[in-house]
DNA sequence: GCCAACGTTGGC
DNA sequence: GCCAACGTTGGC
């Protein structure tokens, strides 16, 4: 099993959206960065666990855990002309972007805030804590995963 | 709202 | 293939 952090703006999709649909598969779409896409396409597998990180909001940090219930497939939003994620260069024969499906596991009683994450030795050199980081899909080692859970 | 950092685009 | 310009991200 692999461990990940997925970044999201809670105004778009938050841990509450998962918690309010506890048995449902939720489509993780709209990733439009090649490095993040490559992780989704090549490395994110069924059963992997994912920390949900809330960005660009009042309380920035880790909000809970979800699991992967469907591995890589063509992101449907790239074909939807009315979607902000529409990509006219993508075709069903040659899709450009990748989605996965996620399902709720846990919501933290309190968000593990970014400043606390930055204080973790295990996360010192992780891209999440680097200034200017924009990657929205980030791998975690088992040790990093555990250290983040221990911050709760 | 500001602005630093970053990824992408496009002219050459 | 280089790199300046531009648009976006994201913490503060």
């Amino acid at each position: 099993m692999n461990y990940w952090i997925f970044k999201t703006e809670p105004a778009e999709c938050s841990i509450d959206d998962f918690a309010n649909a506890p048995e449902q598969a939720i489509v993780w779409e709209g990733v439009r960065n090649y490095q993040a896409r490559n992780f989704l396409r090549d490395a994110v597998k069924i059963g992997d666990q994912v920390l949900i990180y809330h960005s660009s909001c009042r309380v920035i940090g880790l909000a809970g855990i979800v699991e992967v219930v469907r591995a890589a497939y063509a992101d449907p939003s790239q074909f939807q002309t009315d979607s902000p994620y529409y990509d006219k260069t993508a075709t069903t024969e040659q899709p450009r972007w990748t989605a996965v499906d996620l399902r709720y596991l846990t919501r933290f009683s309190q968000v593990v805030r970014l400043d606390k994450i930055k204080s973790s030795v295990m996360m010192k050199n992780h891209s999440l804590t680097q200034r200017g980081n924009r990657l929205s899909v980030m791998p975690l080692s088992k040790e990093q995963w555990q250290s983040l859970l221990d911050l709760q």
Side-chain angles (χ1 to χ4, degrees), chain A residues 67-106:
Chain A
E67 67 173 338
V68 178
V69 293
R70 183 181 177 188
Y73 62 100
D75 180 341
S77 67
Q78 68 192 306
F79 309 124
Q80 295 163 0
T81 54
D82 61 341
S83 167
Y85 302 124
Y86 175 66
D87 184 344
K88 64 180 188 319
T89 69
T91 64
T92 48
E93 292 76 23
Q94 285 206 310
R96 185 177 297 267
W97 306 109
T98 298
V100 299
D101 287 358
L102 304 174
R103 186 172 62 196
Y104 176 72
L105 285 181
T106 307

Side-chain angles (χ1 to χ4, degrees), chain A residues 9-65:
Chain A
E9 297 187 14
E12 295 294 319
C13 178
S14 79
I15 194 67
D16 290 336
D17 297 320
F18 287 95
N20 292 335
E23 301 298 323
Q24 289 175 39
I26 291 184
V27 182
W28 195 261
E29 62 184 6
V31 170
R32 294 293 180 270
N33 166 282
Y34 287 106
Q35 192 181 357
R37 188 278 312 267
N38 291 348
F39 281 130
L40 288 181
R41 188 188 60 191
D42 304 332
V44 173
K45 300 301 178 190
I46 288 182
D48 286 0
Q49 297 206 359
V50 179
L51 279 162
I52 295 295
Y53 176 87
H54 287 173
S55 69
S56 297
C57 59
R58 195 174 60 83
V59 185
I60 295 163
L62 298 168
I65 305 173

